[in-house]
Amino acid sequence: MRQIHVLNGPNLNLLGRREPGIYGAATLADVEAEMRALGEKLGVAITCRQSNHEGELVTWIQEAGLSGADVILNAGAYTHTSVALRDAIKGSGARVIEVHISNVHAREEFRHHSYISPVVAGIIVGFGIAGYRLAVQALLEMKPNS
């Protein structure tokens, strides 16, 4: 069965409460429930995880890449700071779709640079939580990782 890991980084546990004008009213639990239901419908095993700790995200990316699972990654603020996440993606061979709920290019300048964008399969930005669904669709249109 095809495996997709949905990994969310720092502060995404605050979805629904943190700046709802930017991130919307949906909670992380809402996103995860939607992803699991979509996985069931499509016959895909979806694993959802969130961490505020960079090293934990690195470990999960490595595990996914080494097992051949695909990854949907919303790295939050680590997008703009983490060489470690970039190296985990590249080194593990994980196929990753980078997702951002808001349009980071329409926000503060420091959000315009991503350390991980150059090593991911694609980027989905600014479509709210629908970006996660779009990422699943994109991954399923690609051949499985082997």
Side-chain angles (χ1 to χ4, degrees):
M1 175 179 276
R2 189 101 178 243
Q3 301 256 338
I4 298 175
H5 294 214
V6 179
L7 305 180
N8 284 286
N11 299 310
L12 287 155
N13 56 308
L14 299 176
L15 282 178
R17 293 186 359 200
R18 176 184 175 219
E19 300 179 87
I22 294 173
Y23 299 107
T27 66
L28 183 60
D30 295 334
V31 172
E32 291 177 348
E34 184 175 330
M35 290 297 92
R36 288 186 182 107
L38 182 60
E40 285 181 32
K41 177 181 172 186
L42 298 173
V44 177
I46 303 275
T47 300
C48 298
R49 294 175 167 164
Q50 185 277 329
S51 182
N52 293 320
H53 304 283
E54 183 179 26
E56 198 160 34
L57 292 165
V58 166
T59 297
W60 294 339
I61 290 167
Q62 290 176 358
E63 289 171 356
L66 295 172
S67 72
D70 293 319
V71 175
I72 297 169
L73 175 63
N74 184 339
Y78 289 139
T79 301
H80 320 292
T81 64
S82 182
V83 175
L85 288 177
R86 175 195 173 99
D87 289 350
I89 294 165
K90 193 168 182 181
S92 69
R95 180 171 43 209
V96 176
I97 302 288
E98 178 182 350
V99 170
H100 297 284
I101 294 169
S102 69
N103 180 353
V104 293
H105 301 288
R107 297 185 60 197
E108 304 93 339
E109 182 146 346
F110 72 87
R111 296 185 196 276
H112 298 179
H113 179 265
S114 168
Y115 279 96
I116 62 178
S117 291
V119 295
V120 299
I123 306 160
I124 299 173
V125 178
F127 291 97
I129 66 167
Y132 292 91
R133 289 190 307 274
L134 295 169
V136 169
Q137 180 181 344
L139 286 167
L140 292 179
E141 290 184 15
M142 297 175 182
K143 290 183 180 179
N145 243 350
S146 48

